[in-house]
Amino acid sequence: MQDPFSAGMPPDPFADDPSDPAAALDALEPAVPLDDAEREAVREDLVDLEVYERLLAPRGIRGLVVICEDCREDHFHDWDMLRASLHQLLADGSVRPHEPAVDPRPEDYVTWDYCRGFADAHAIFGNRR
């Protein structure tokens, strides 16, 4: 069976390996499923993400940059990887570990706030340049 959350995610280099170092993660507490309000917010994020990608990908934007609250560094997420993470969050309340972008070009990524502003401006002004 194909993993429905694998789109946009790199292949697991330890798939079917009995000495998989991620096996230690099995001891962690399971994720807590989202409540109805959280699920609705994630669904809205998925709709917004589709709009943002449609508007910004043709302009060379590869995805979003998010400041990680744990390490206080920028994390760069391509459109597909972010979509897969949001679908995983809906499925069981967790986000899978993922590999960061390799040597990302920061100018190819924007914030959620930038996306919102761009989409709002596009709705008001259309394709005028």
Side-chain angles (χ1 to χ4, degrees):
M1 179 175 141
Q2 182 175 357
D3 183 349
F5 303 109
S6 62
M9 300 296 277
D12 181 355
F14 296 100
D16 302 320
D17 182 345
S19 61
D20 181 351
L25 296 174
D26 292 339
L28 296 176
E29 293 290 321
V32 176
L34 303 179
D35 65 31
D36 290 341
E38 291 168 327
R39 291 180 66 73
E40 184 58 29
V42 172
R43 285 188 199 104
E44 290 172 5
D45 284 348
L46 282 164
V47 170
D48 290 345
L49 185 66
E50 182 179 333
V51 171
Y52 303 158
E53 181 179 12
R54 181 176 42 80
L55 292 173
L56 295 167
R59 291 171 168 79
I61 301 301
R62 296 192 57 190
L64 299 177
V65 59
V66 178
I67 298 174
C68 176
E69 292 186 22
D70 293 332
C71 69
R72 307 302 300 161
E73 292 186 19
D74 290 342
H75 289 231
F76 299 90
H77 302 275
D78 287 347
W79 302 114
D80 289 338
M81 186 173 68
L82 186 54
R83 185 178 300 100
S85 293
L86 290 171
H87 280 290
Q88 180 68 35
L89 196 55
L90 275 177
D92 69 7
S94 71
V95 177
R96 291 181 178 182
H98 55 271
E99 291 296 319
V102 176
D103 199 22
R105 291 173 15 126
E107 62 269 20
D108 292 342
Y109 297 84
V110 295
T111 64
W112 277 102
D113 287 340
Y114 179 93
C115 290
R116 284 187 197 103
F118 190 93
D120 289 347
H122 189 271
I124 294 168
F125 300 108
N127 285 327
R128 289 188 259 169
R129 292 190 180 227

